[in-house]
Amino acid sequence: MSPQLRILVIEDNAADFKLIKRNLEGQGFDASFTWIAERDRLEECLGEPWDLVLADYNVPHMEFEETLEAVRSLSPELPVILVSGSLGEEQAVELLKRGMSDFVHKDNLARLAPSIARALKEASEHRGRLQAEASLLKSESKYRSMFDHAPVGVGIAELESGRMVEVNAAWLEILGFEHDEVVGRTGAELGIYLNAVQRPAIITHLKDKGRIVNQPMRLRRKSGEALDLLASAEVLEIGSTSYLQFMLTDVTEEMKVKRALAASEETLRKLYVAVNQSPTAIVITDRFGTVEFVNPRFSEMTGYGADEMVGKNPQLLWEKLCQGEVWRGDFCNTRKDGTVYWEHDIISPIRNQEGEITHYMAIKEDISEKRTMEEQLRQSQKMEAVGQLAGGVAHDFNNIMQVIMGNAYLQTVENQSRGVATQHLDEIVKAVEHGSSLTKSLLVFSRKTPLELTNFDLNELLGQSRKLASKLVTEDIAIELELCREPLHILADAGLVQQIVFNLVTNARDAISGPGRITITTQLVEAQGMPLPCGCTATSGSYALLSVRDTGHGIAEEIRGRIFEPFFTTKELGKGTGLGLSMIYGTVQRMNGFIAVTAPPQGGTEFFICIPLAQAPEAALHSTSGSFMIGSGELILVVEDEEAVRDALIRTLASSGYRPVAAGSGEEALTLAQRSAGIALALIDVILPGINGIECAQGLNALYPSLPVIYLTGYDNDVLAGRGISANVLQKPIQSSRLVQRISEILKVQAARRI
């Protein structure tokens, strides 16, 4: 049985010592381990017999170089192996030159066992050589035999001159010389040194340290090829002459392998780091699809750890992949927690040197956010399409409404003059206003037209709207108004506020099956530094709070956050566009308001809308005259290309005491203006064939610089705003009474300027 090895371990980290000990025991070494971490114990321990020393480089107060020299001075033959995690190649080579047996990186402890075995073997061999040399001095013949047949190159030279005395066969084989070429010549003359300082450095080291043991060295062969060697040397005193005896071990091939292995390991390390730090998920499978590797990004993206994936065999696109093709595509996947995401994959085969497929690599990228942005872009394009559609429809639709409005007004005037009831005509006017507000809300939502902000009492508007709202629901649904006592004056678009209420009432009606109740309430609320209890995010100021509550089936919590999205609807196909609530949301925001939705404890749904309060307007002076004849025969030029609209305007103006003259185009209007003297005001449609309404007005102002102009538009005000025109613009359809009143106001101002 081999004696137990005695190993001295110099290490400041207990965990590393245990790791080294466990590693060697696992490799079958029968050894006793002594661990020291303090300098004070070093000299004490070195006095004991050891087979091997394992030392870390960075031990506090114990420089490795000093430790190495201490070991060498007390026990020159004792192998010393450096086991460290922080040593460069150049340092390691230098330490090997100074007598260190080997260097093993802590990250590669698998090399420790073979390194120890080799060091012990070399130490044993070295001891054998020393014994042989001693015997050689006693027995020339025996020494000569050992010298000639030594497995390492051995040479003897005069210390001072460097002249070669004898070399063995191994030395000649290593350096490529013949015996006669060497004896009697120096190493410099043979050209074996790579530079002139090599031999002086060896002599200096020997004089200082006494010997060299397995120091890495590079020499040159006769052919010029550089060799990697391990050199040992010592000084022999024979008689009165000092000789240098040196032994060379050729490790050229071994060093080539080590350097190639180191380069390969560095390349693999870089690749490993790159793959593990890649921002895209990477999966590697064998050729049968079984997962062998996943990087950290894969675990982040999917929620599955490497231990859960390695060895599994997910489905791949085998038909194309087995043909050696690269597959690219997007598909929906599910994470470990059940959430769904989209990924873009590139799956490609990995081939060996013979071109055979051995593995597959999949590069995966989470594109959920990208697809969300694309979806938002599509939604934005839909909204743009809605805006374009609204703008295209608004002009023609409002012209139709203007015709109905004008004729209803004329019939109202006629009925009142005969004492006939006008309630049916009033309903027509209200329906026209309701239809106009629908178009207007669509334009406002798509930002095709500005809001018409006026100061009005919200309670008063709701009271006036109740009758029309009740016609939007069935008989078994009650509409209740609970209005606060104080007036709630707001600066908003009255038509759009009314439309918001009608939309919410309609939605509530659709949510109620059978008998039910819709409650509309108002109250004054103050936001004092924190969100209101209703859920609106206002944090400061006074607000009119409008609430619409129903007793319907309610809105599920999981979709409550999406109800204001454009085109989102829970209604059946053909029963909803998904634009109603998003239009309300956009309109409220444009009036500087807030909107929220909750599920009341008693069931149903409740919408809250907060609109900033405004100062009550000053009382306006209204004419108490019941007469519709407010004109005095003033000549009014009407420029309108739609015949029905033009005729309605002419009859309205004529019935109100004005003298209208009509033109169907801008060109015709300019011709009439040149022939007609005394035109008091021009009423011009913005959209005209040929020259448009703005160009027509400019032509009229060239003829009559002080001529006032009222623009009528059934589209939007973008064109006018772009030309800097903002005054005297009336949106179709306009109530005839309001149109006549506006004409009267302008003419009075014009008359006052002439005085």
Side-chain angles (χ1 to χ4, degrees):
M1 178 180 295
S2 300
Q4 188 181 50
L5 292 174
R6 299 190 73 236
I7 300 177
L8 176 63
V9 181
I10 304 173
E11 173 61 64
D12 64 325
N13 189 306
D16 285 354
F17 165 71
K18 292 178 181 179
L19 185 62
I20 292 170
K21 182 175 180 293
R22 187 165 54 250
N23 180 275
L24 293 178
E25 290 173 345
Q27 294 292 328
F29 279 88
D30 181 17
S32 64
F33 296 86
T34 299
W35 171 42
I36 65 170
E38 299 84 22
R39 182 182 181 87
D40 295 337
R41 293 196 57 202
L42 180 60
E43 291 185 6
E44 175 187 348
C45 290
L46 288 179
E48 301 177 17
W50 301 100
D51 296 301
L52 179 70
V53 176
L54 302 178
D56 191 2
Y57 188 82
N58 292 315
V59 178
H61 311 297
M62 298 178 70
E63 295 292 333
F64 178 79
E65 289 85 351
E66 296 180 3
T67 301
L68 180 62
E69 294 305 324
V71 173
R72 284 282 169 267
S73 63
L74 293 176
S75 182
E77 300 174 14
L78 181 60
V80 179
I81 297 178
L82 176 61
V83 183
S84 177
S86 58
L87 191 69
E89 183 176 344
E90 292 182 2
Q91 287 178 290
V93 171
E94 182 60 30
L95 290 173
L96 287 170
K97 292 177 180 178
R98 297 176 65 175
M100 179 182 72
S101 298
D102 203 352
F103 162 64
V104 176
H105 200 282
K106 285 185 178 181
D107 289 341
N108 192 14
L109 289 180
R111 287 194 59 248
L112 184 56
S115 177
I116 290 174
R118 185 173 63 251
L120 293 174
K121 179 181 177 182
E122 290 173 353
S124 176
E125 291 175 349
H126 183 64
R127 286 192 295 270
R129 286 195 299 271
L130 292 178
Q131 293 173 358
E133 291 167 4
S135 299
L136 183 62
L137 294 175
K138 297 178 180 179
S139 175
E140 175 63 27
S141 61
K142 185 177 180 180
Y143 171 78
R144 187 72 201 185
S145 176
M146 292 177 61
F147 178 85
D148 289 339
H149 299 92
V152 297
V154 182
I156 300 174
E158 294 177 354
L159 181 62
E160 294 299 326
S161 67
R163 197 166 304 281
M164 306 294 295
V165 175
E166 188 60 275
V167 295
N168 70 351
W171 192 100
L172 295 171
E173 183 180 355
I174 290 172
L175 292 172
F177 289 94
E178 296 294 333
H179 188 269
D180 294 341
E181 295 177 299
V182 175
V183 174
R185 303 178 67 186
T186 66
E189 292 171 345
L190 295 173
I192 64 173
Y193 298 116
L194 296 180
N195 55 65
V197 300
Q198 275 186 293
R199 187 175 190 279
I202 294 172
I203 301 302
T204 301
H205 183 87
L206 286 171
K207 288 181 178 180
D208 293 340
K209 306 300 181 181
R211 65 187 305 176
I212 296 173
V213 179
N214 286 334
Q215 177 177 308
M217 179 183 294
R218 302 201 80 197
L219 296 177
R220 185 184 291 113
R221 285 175 59 88
K222 179 181 178 181
S223 63
E225 175 190 358
L227 296 173
D228 289 292
L229 305 166
L230 288 180
S232 297
E234 59 183 343
V235 177
L236 301 177
E237 300 292 342
I238 303 177
S240 60
T241 306
S242 297
Y243 294 93
L244 173 64
Q245 177 178 268
F246 51 92
M247 292 170 285
L248 303 177
T249 302
D250 188 355
V251 292
T252 303
E253 293 303 318
E254 182 180 346
M255 291 303 295
K256 286 181 180 179
V257 172
K258 285 184 177 180
R259 283 192 285 268
L261 181 60
S264 177
E265 288 176 348
E266 178 62 15
T267 301
L268 289 175
R269 187 193 66 81
K270 291 177 182 178
L271 288 174
Y272 182 79
V273 171
V275 168
N276 275 279
Q277 295 181 1
S278 171
T280 57
I282 297 176
V283 179
I284 297 177
T285 75
D286 64 15
R287 61 194 184 94
F288 302 107
T290 301
V291 175
E292 293 186 353
F293 172 84
V294 296
N295 71 342
R297 177 56 185 148
F298 175 88
S299 300
E300 293 174 10
M301 190 169 82
T302 66
Y304 291 99
D307 56 336
E308 297 175 280
M309 290 303 300
V310 173
K312 301 296 189 301
N313 193 323
Q315 291 296 317
L316 290 175
L317 307 166
W318 289 110
E319 183 175 349
K320 285 190 174 182
L321 292 175
C322 291
Q323 297 174 2
E325 297 181 14
V326 176
W327 183 89
R328 293 178 174 84
D330 301 345
F331 61 88
C332 191
N333 213 336
T334 304
R335 296 184 178 90
K336 182 178 180 180
D337 61 7
T339 57
V340 175
Y341 69 100
W342 279 89
E343 65 178 59
H344 174 73
D345 279 23
I346 302 176
I347 306 176
S348 57
I350 301 175
R351 302 176 185 273
N352 60 18
Q353 293 181 346
E354 288 72 33
E356 299 170 341
I357 296 175
T358 61
H359 294 79
Y360 293 98
M361 180 172 68
I363 299 177
K364 299 169 174 284
E365 180 183 5
D366 187 342
I367 59 170
S368 302
E369 184 176 349
K370 177 182 177 183
R371 288 182 68 91
T372 299
M373 293 177 65
E374 290 174 350
E375 181 61 27
Q376 291 174 348
L377 176 61
R378 284 192 289 270
Q379 291 287 10
S380 174
Q381 291 170 339
K382 287 182 183 179
M383 297 315 303
E384 180 66 23
V386 169
Q388 294 174 355
L389 177 63
V393 169
H395 177 263
D396 293 337
F397 183 77
N398 285 330
N399 274 340
I400 295 171
M401 294 293 101
Q402 185 65 58
V403 174
I404 298 173
M405 182 80 80
N407 284 284
Y409 171 77
L410 293 171
Q411 190 61 50
T412 299
V413 171
E414 183 178 337
N415 285 6
Q416 288 182 347
S417 65
R418 291 186 298 163
V420 179
T422 62
Q423 63 182 32
H424 299 305
L425 295 170
D426 294 340
E427 293 300 326
I428 292 175
V429 172
K430 290 180 180 179
V432 170
E433 291 175 346
H434 178 54
S436 176
S437 67
L438 281 172
T439 305
K440 183 177 180 181
S441 64
L442 200 58
L443 288 170
V444 169
F445 173 67
S446 58
R447 300 185 183 271
K448 284 290 185 178
T449 187
L451 299 173
E452 291 185 8
L453 301 179
T454 58
N455 192 312
F456 62 90
D457 182 4
L458 177 61
N459 288 335
E460 183 179 337
L461 177 70
L462 294 175
Q464 295 171 354
S465 304
R466 179 176 185 175
K467 184 177 180 181
L468 185 56
S470 63
K471 296 183 179 181
L472 299 174
V473 299
T474 58
E475 296 178 354
D476 53 356
I477 297 178
I479 294 182
E480 299 178 356
L481 280 183
E482 298 178 0
L483 307 180
C484 61
R485 294 183 178 181
E486 61 268 30
L488 299 175
H489 286 279
I490 59 176
L491 189 63
D493 191 307
L496 291 181
V497 171
Q498 188 180 56
Q499 186 62 41
I500 287 172
V501 175
F502 290 162
N503 280 349
L504 292 177
V505 168
T506 301
N507 286 346
R509 175 202 66 197
D510 295 340
I512 297 173
S513 56
R517 184 174 63 260
I518 301 173
T519 305
I520 303 173
T521 63
T522 61
Q523 58 178 306
L524 189 152
V525 294
E526 297 284 346
Q528 300 177 344
M530 55 189 306
L532 297 169
C534 63
C536 292
T537 56
T539 56
S540 62
S542 301
Y543 292 86
L545 176 60
L546 167 63
S547 163
V548 179
R549 184 176 69 250
D550 64 61
T551 58
H553 54 67
I555 302 174
E557 183 178 358
E558 58 268 20
I559 65 171
R560 204 174 297 152
R562 298 188 58 200
I563 60 174
F564 295 114
E565 295 179 7
F567 303 105
F568 178 78
T569 180
T570 58
K571 296 180 180 180
E572 298 177 9
L573 185 64
K575 294 187 177 181
T577 63
L579 288 173
L581 289 176
S582 58
M583 289 169 60
I584 292 174
Y585 182 85
T587 303
V588 170
Q589 279 196 322
R590 293 192 67 188
M591 292 189 291
N592 298 317
F594 303 88
I595 186 170
V597 59
T598 64
Q602 63 270 31
T605 303
E606 186 167 11
F607 284 87
F608 295 97
I609 296 174
C610 287
I611 301 176
L613 282 179
Q615 294 289 334
E618 297 181 2
L621 297 176
H622 296 285
S623 174
T624 57
S625 173
S627 172
F628 290 95
M629 301 294 291
I630 61 175
S632 302
E634 292 91 340
L635 183 62
I636 307 296
L637 174 60
V638 179
V639 187
E640 169 62 61
D641 62 318
E642 292 285 343
E643 183 178 357
V645 178
R646 186 170 64 246
D647 291 345
L649 290 173
I650 290 172
R651 291 197 298 271
T652 297
L653 294 174
S655 67
S656 301
Y658 295 105
R659 186 161 51 93
V661 57
S665 66
E667 291 84 356
E668 185 181 352
L670 293 176
T671 301
L672 281 174
Q674 292 173 348
R675 296 201 305 259
S676 303
I679 297 177
L681 180 142
L683 190 64
I684 306 175
D685 186 18
V686 174
I687 307 299
L688 292 172
I691 63 173
N692 60 41
I694 298 174
E695 294 168 339
C696 176
Q698 291 170 344
L700 292 174
N701 284 137
L703 296 173
Y704 305 103
S706 60
L707 178 68
V709 174
I710 295 177
Y711 293 100
L712 291 177
T713 177
Y715 189 42
D716 58 63
N717 295 343
D718 289 349
V719 176
L720 300 177
R723 299 293 184 90
I725 300 173
S726 57
N728 297 336
V729 179
L730 298 179
Q731 199 80 23
K732 294 179 183 179
I734 182 172
Q735 290 184 1
S736 297
S737 58
R738 184 183 172 197
L739 172 63
V740 172
Q741 184 67 33
R742 184 63 178 147
I743 292 173
S744 175
E745 292 170 357
I746 293 174
L747 292 178
K748 286 179 181 179
V749 171
Q750 193 75 2
R753 289 177 179 172
R754 290 197 292 266
I755 296 176

